[in-house]
Amino acid sequence: MAKKVLVLGELKGGELRNVTFEAIAAASQVANGGEVVGVLFGENASSHAEKMIHSGADRVLVAENDELKQFTTDAYTQAFLQVVESEKPEGIMIGHTSSGKDIAPRIATKLGAGLISDAVDVEVNGDDVVFTRPIYSGKAFEKKQIEEGLVFATIRPNNIAPLEEDTARTGDITTVDVDIKDLRTIVKEVVKKTSGGIDLAEASIIVSGGRGVKSAEGFKTLEELAEVLGAAVGASRGACDAGYCDYSMQIGQTGKVVTPDLYIACGISGAIQHLAGMSNSKVIVAINKDPEAPIFDVADYGIVGDLFDVVPKLTEAFKKELA
Amino acid sequence: MNIFVLMKRTFDTEEKIVINDGVVDEEGAEFIINPYDEYAIEEAIVLRDEHGGEVTVVTVGDEEAEKELRTALAMGADKAVLIDMEDFDEEIDHFTVAEALTAYLKEQDYDIILGGNVAVDDGAGQVAPRVAEGLGINQVTTITGIQVDGEKVEIERDVEGDVEKIETSLPLLVTCQQGLNEPRYPSLPGIMKAKKKPLDTLDIDDLDLDEEEIAAKTKTLDKYLPPEKGAGKVLEGEIDEQVNELVSLLKNEAKVI
């Protein structure tokens, strides 16, 4: 059955996030010949709406209220629910990002709906819409379906391929009136801590360090490699516990779960709880002194050696290669 | 201050997952308090010690979860409540669990409710925000710092690595992120005291809920392990040669750069 599917786009640093295009691709499958309606909130949202159409949305609804400049649970939940009320969609796709994770369950509860979180794949067979999602931080997977009614899912970044951009596509861009009131949260300040603005969840390359990095200073070596590759820097729990880096960088079962195209593990032994967070990366490189380290069991390519010898040489080699 | 903590009993993060016919094999597996919920319990105890009041830890599960509830009491919580789903005949999902917790909390006098950001088994992070919506209260997710001063609450929140400084007020639900605190281990006297602390069990009838109305909205068709990865290639030779070979493999074979 053809469906009308809403996709909540997301702006970060004045740009649409990749997960928006990935969610549009998921939505166009779920729509199954129906309509994909983009929804975008925030400053200058209308200037980004066209790109959602080029990426597969049929039309886009935008709201640029002052209260939507900065994400808050209340403002975004209220605004989105008003759009849902007027559009009456049969499907909703939202990125499984910090803000998507925050509001999607609230919206589902308000609508009395089921929700499938963190989908990495979607298959549509007639009326059946089946989502695949990781469980146990990627140690296993499950296939899930909504029992009936609204098909509602959040889409994990970096997994579903976006549709090819088509700049010839056209569609209506409409500003909607949303009424936002009684905000209970004030965001006073946002302190940027991420390096170069590359988010671990969306990074296509991650350079990650473990206890073998030995100190906060040691992470500079990895940062240099990351800079050459345009990569994000991650860490194992061991490195975070030892105080070499911030917990926001932790990858693993009690940290972030990542699926980049390339994961370079430096001085990480590969404890099971770390492997859970990164073993579904497309290509894994391990650099470790200990040839018996379990990280080599999941690595596609391994170098046995001291990371402080290997990583600077790798940085130089990539510099030449990518120059 | 009346403080409630939403807790889940989960597989130990060190456990390997075994699946037979689409069902996760729990035989012999170690269970723990979901690590993110430990941050919630710790913060609840800290808030109580600072502001007075009581910490109640609530879980939805079966009687096996009494062990984890006792651990929470041994850490320093005052009361524990098990919402027992043993006799629940319908399927259970996040919606079901959230409805049960919401029904329980609606009857309580709460100032703040703390939960983990996510459970390490299912990984959805749905239950706590669903409860906040069900109760009609504000929420702040993935917090790494909290200060309560009367009704006023100042929070630091992790947003994909950046920090948002937030001002809000009670009543409030928060979900706890790594970095918030260092959960304490239960002390021996704590373990002794926990045995005498109240642990109440309720079921769906006690909460005046109808099974069919809170039955799962989603269904699981299958669970499976990812395909095993074949052994990779460990490079050989001088470090310089290995480095050059690696760059060439990543470019030409793996095609990721």
Side-chain angles (χ1 to χ4, degrees), chain B residues 53-115:
Chain B
E54 225 173 39
V55 175
T56 307
V57 178
V58 197
T59 197
V60 175
D62 56 28
E63 62 178 19
E64 307 242 21
E66 286 182 8
K67 178 177 155 266
E68 285 71 29
L69 288 173
R70 288 282 172 210
T71 305
L73 293 171
M75 285 171 76
D78 302 289
K79 293 199 257 178
V81 174
L82 167 65
I83 301 174
D84 193 343
M85 302 298 271
E86 187 83 61
D87 297 328
F88 193 80
D89 293 324
E90 303 283 338
E91 289 290 310
I92 294 173
D93 72 355
H94 312 101
F95 168 77
T96 315
V97 173
E99 290 293 306
L101 289 168
T102 303
Y104 166 75
L105 286 161
K106 270 188 177 157
E107 300 302 316
Q108 313 301 317
D109 186 14
Y110 53 80
D111 296 301
I112 189 164
I113 301 166
L114 300 98

Side-chain angles (χ1 to χ4, degrees), chain B:
Chain B
M1 191 149 68
N2 275 324
I3 306 165
F4 287 80
V5 179
L6 314 180
M7 188 201 85
K8 188 179 186 187
R9 171 182 190 259
T10 62
F11 256 56
D12 193 315
T13 52
E14 300 295 324
E15 291 286 339
K16 278 216 163 85
I17 304 300
V18 178
I19 294 180
N20 296 314
D21 296 327
V23 177
V24 176
D25 187 357
E26 298 191 350
E27 182 93 20
E30 283 291 318
F31 282 83
I32 54 170
I33 295 174
N34 174 43
Y36 290 96
D37 300 348
E38 281 189 338
Y39 302 127
I41 296 166
E42 173 65 32
E43 202 62 27
I45 295 168
V46 170
L47 287 170
R48 178 205 57 200
D49 290 349
E50 204 176 316
H51 302 278
E54 225 173 39
V55 175
T56 307
V57 178
V58 197
T59 197
V60 175
D62 56 28
E63 62 178 19
E64 307 242 21
E66 286 182 8
K67 178 177 155 266
E68 285 71 29
L69 288 173
R70 288 282 172 210
T71 305
L73 293 171
M75 285 171 76
D78 302 289
K79 293 199 257 178
V81 174
L82 167 65
I83 301 174
D84 193 343
M85 302 298 271
E86 187 83 61
D87 297 328
F88 193 80
D89 293 324
E90 303 283 338
E91 289 290 310
I92 294 173
D93 72 355
H94 312 101
F95 168 77
T96 315
V97 173
E99 290 293 306
L101 289 168
T102 303
Y104 166 75
L105 286 161
K106 270 188 177 157
E107 300 302 316
Q108 313 301 317
D109 186 14
Y110 53 80
D111 296 301
I112 189 164
I113 301 166
L114 300 98
N117 151 39
V118 75
V120 296
D121 50 3
D122 181 72
Q126 283 192 29
V127 170
R130 276 183 178 274
V131 169
E133 180 64 36
L135 295 171
I137 62 171
N138 193 20
Q139 75 186 35
V140 182
T141 51
T142 59
I143 70 162
T144 53
I146 181 167
Q147 290 294 329
V148 179
D149 181 7
E151 292 292 297
K152 201 175 110 183
V153 187
E154 292 198 354
I155 287 179
E156 294 198 353
R157 166 171 191 255
D158 166 50
V159 183
E160 293 162 355
D162 294 331
V163 181
E164 267 180 22
K165 297 192 173 185
I166 280 176
E167 204 175 284
T168 183
S169 57
L170 300 177
L172 179 68
L173 179 145
V174 295
T175 70
C176 302
Q177 172 71 309
Q178 202 157 33
L180 175 64
N181 56 40
E182 196 61 54
R184 69 194 68 191
Y185 289 104
S187 65
L188 200 54
I191 293 167
M192 300 308 289
K193 271 194 224 159
K195 290 179 180 160
K196 295 197 183 107
K197 288 180 180 173
L199 192 163
D200 293 335
T201 301
L202 302 171
D203 63 19
I204 292 300
D205 292 336
D206 297 323
L207 297 171
D208 274 335
L209 287 169
D210 180 87
E211 281 206 13
E212 272 178 37
E213 276 175 26
I214 65 162
K217 300 266 185 197
T218 57
K219 75 177 163 210
T220 303
L221 308 173
D222 192 18
K223 296 189 184 190
Y224 58 96
L225 298 175
E228 286 241 3
K229 266 193 119 158
K233 192 188 282 184
V234 174
L235 308 181
E236 285 174 359
E238 294 296 314
I239 290 290
D240 290 291
E241 292 168 32
Q242 292 192 39
V243 163
N244 290 331
E245 192 185 349
L246 178 62
V247 171
S248 139
L249 284 166
L250 290 175
K251 192 172 176 213
N252 303 316
E253 191 178 89
K255 297 187 169 49
V256 285
I257 58 159

Side-chain angles (χ1 to χ4, degrees), chain A residues 12 17 97-98 101 190-195 197-201 233 246-250 256, chain B residues 142 144 156-164 177-178:
Chain A
K12 190 177 184 182
R17 297 183 70 164
T97 59
S98 176
K101 278 185 262 193
V190 181
V191 186
K192 294 268 171 214
K193 284 173 81 181
T194 42
S195 53
I198 303 166
D199 170 36
L200 280 171
V233 179
D246 198 84
Y247 277 111
S248 63
M249 288 163 68
Q250 184 180 324
K256 297 200 166 60
Chain B
T142 59
T144 53
E156 294 198 353
R157 166 171 191 255
D158 166 50
V159 183
E160 293 162 355
D162 294 331
V163 181
E164 267 180 22
Q177 172 71 309
Q178 202 157 33

